[in-house]
Amino acid sequence: MLNVHNLSISFQGDDLFKNITYRVGFGDRIGLIGKNGAGKSTMLKILSKELEPDTGEIATDKDLKIGFLKQDIDFVEGRTVLEETYEAFIEIKIIENKIEDINIQLMNSENSESKEYYQLMIDLQNLQDKFKIIGGYNYEGNTEKILTGLGFQSSEFNKQTSNLSGGWRMRIELAKLLLQDNDILLLDEPTNHLDIDSIIWFESFLKSYGGAALIVSHDKMFLDNITNRTIEISFGNIYDYKKPYSQYLILREEMREQQLASQKNQEKEILNTKKLINKFRAKASKASMAQSLIKKLDRMDIIQVDKDDKSVMNVHFPISINPGKIIFEIKNLSKNYDDLEVLSSINLILARNSKVAFVGQNGQGKTTLAKIINNEIKYEGFFKIGHNVEIGYFAQNQADYLDDKKTVLQTMEDSATEKNRNKVRDILGSFLFRGSEVDKHVKVLSGGERNRLALAKLLLLPFNMLIMDEPTNHLDIKSKNVLKEALKRFEGTLILISHDRDFLQGLTEIVYEFKDKNIKEYLGDIDYYLEKRNIGDIRDIEKKNTVTSSKKMDKESYKKMKKIRSLDNKIKKVETDIIELEENIKKINFALESNPSDYNETFFEKYQSKKNKLALSISKWGDLQKEHEKLNK
């Protein structure tokens, strides 16, 4: 189907990948993975012939059709959803226009017996036959079917594409690809900006798709559900295994461990052989044996261990100052965009240190509410921000606001203040921009690198409340995991907008579902929310047309949950006190053993007081644990 042989490409003298060889066959669902900047998107551009490699060749079957879904979409202004989607049928549209033109000529002809009229009839028949063969009589129905599957309502087909968000434009681009009957799909981050409903439909399509697909994605769940093969680009090489992502990771680690063991045994063998060579060289009778051993070493294939890229971000989100107990209060808040009502009579009070997830379909108002909280857009109703609340806001398209003409370092320095200007390089280093990397221009950065830079910029501002709208878009899987751990450690208030269950698990304690212009509260983490909805996977939420009712938590359960949270905080504080006291007593014991005569009676009284405090803290910890266990039963 498609063969890649000895492919190489470099940028600014550095090899992105070198002498790569692999084959793509029918039915292959390949997850193309690697850290940000490894060359995944470049590989897809080469396969689509948008970019020429430095060396190597790509051989394909005759008449092979390749469809390419890029990260960046450029639409022509003035087209409707249907008109833009019909652009998938270039040949059909050309023939359709020719048929229309001939019909006009026939209508205007005054002599139906002329040779010209007869030739027009022959041309019309030929065009109609071809039109039928290439699906001209079915394309409009197929288009509406695909658009409906991707979440469009029939009432939206005549909307202008210029009024659509990035996620809805991505669906149109997907629809165009799926309607073109391609043999190979090249998909660069296809789930970015897509909501759950679209991802479900797209997964279903790919599972039944007869061609091949190469997918660049950092959505672990999507890769595991779809792929049957994984190719990783790392340090200019590729590692190709016929396993989906999670299974590939296990297999790859097992292979490296085997390589390390084999390499260790070979190094022992080489060392022993060299000792024998040195020993036999000294004796004339053993010289031939020494030469034989030297030849043996020369023939030996040195075992190489696959390089493993361990570089990851080092992220920490410190809070600026402690805010008041209430972060914000919302009463009867509504938001309209002209005639479109997005939010209606919303009520919400958010307490300090809450960890909250916003979930639901695109267009249901999640980002709108986040922007209202960040004081970006107008609204109707009551909204009050709390005392000393400082907001850090990471928008869904935050990376798009970066200036392509600036370097990485200039981008940070221009956003820095006098207080934190000296920390700019340290912050960049923690986000993997080190050495000459800081002199790169923003325009040459990959999508993931741009997102990392946008995250780094966020740290230059003071905040104690963090709102993050789809922060994992374009981030590689390792970076996503690091970001997740950093958010777990964040001691302030957190609002996360995401469709990624794997990312949300363990991060939030309250879930707000956005649907039908309103919000519904679930007092628990994402797994609790899914359990209450009787759904095993967040991707199934929008699959059901009938919304199952979910009883609200009663007052007793709510009080119980609040008490458990309060106990968790108390236990954590007592544990911290115990650790500090034990460390202090340990240091004093060491000093006493060294020089017991240096300490007087007053010192020993203080020393005993610390030991008494430790005993009380341990006792208090035990009581709190018992109370916690009793509440959890």
Side-chain angles (χ1 to χ4, degrees), residues 449-503:
E449 288 170 325
R450 291 173 74 96
N451 231 32
R452 292 207 313 262
L453 181 56
L455 281 169
K457 269 187 73 178
L458 186 63
L459 292 185
L460 294 172
L461 301 170
F463 57 82
N464 46 35
M465 176 190 179
L466 195 50
I467 304 173
M468 305 197 89
D469 193 350
E470 299 291 357
T472 60
N473 281 350
H474 304 295
L475 286 183
D476 61 52
I477 293 169
K478 284 184 179 178
S479 297
K480 274 172 64 172
N481 291 337
V482 171
L483 177 60
K484 181 174 179 176
E485 290 304 313
L487 292 175
K488 278 183 180 179
R489 296 191 301 269
F490 179 55
E491 295 178 355
T493 305
L494 177 66
I495 295 178
L496 270 177
I497 302 172
S498 180
H499 300 295
D500 190 335
R501 185 189 71 170
D502 183 64
F503 183 70

Side-chain angles (χ1 to χ4, degrees), residues 387-399:
H387 178 63
N388 277 344
V389 173
E390 295 180 332
I391 299 174
Y393 181 59
F394 188 88
Q396 189 174 131
N397 59 340
Q398 192 74 39

Side-chain angles (χ1 to χ4, degrees), residues 18-68:
K18 190 171 183 180
N19 297 330
I20 285 177
T21 298
Y22 62 93
R23 182 181 180 280
V24 179
F26 281 104
D28 279 340
R29 306 283 186 275
I30 301 170
L32 194 59
I33 66 168
K35 63 175 281 190
N36 294 138
K40 304 182 295 294
S41 296
T42 300
M43 177 67 79
L44 295 189
K45 286 177 182 175
I46 290 172
L47 296 179
S48 69
K49 298 184 179 177
E50 274 199 12
L51 193 64
E52 284 289 326
D54 296 337
T55 61
E57 59 184 7
I58 299 170
T60 63
D61 292 349
K62 191 179 179 182
D63 300 326
L64 186 79
K65 289 174 69 178
I66 297 176
F68 183 22

Side-chain angles (χ1 to χ4, degrees), residues 9-17 39 42 46 51-52 54:
I9 192 166
S10 61
F11 288 104
Q12 299 177 343
D14 295 326
D15 289 325
L16 202 54
F17 36 80
T42 300
I46 290 172
L51 193 64
E52 284 289 326
D54 296 337

Side-chain angles (χ1 to χ4, degrees), residues 12 59 95 113 119 121 129 146 162 200 321 330 385-386 394 401 408 451 460 490-491 499 533 540 574 578 588 603:
Q12 299 177 343
I95 294 174
E113 302 295 328
Q119 187 58 51
M121 290 294 291
D129 289 343
I146 294 288
S162 55
I200 296 164
I321 53 174
I330 291 172
I385 200 78
F394 188 88
Y401 296 121
V408 170
N451 231 32
L460 294 172
F490 179 55
E491 295 178 355
H499 300 295
R533 294 292 303 269
D540 293 335
V574 173
I578 289 170
I588 294 168
F603 166 79

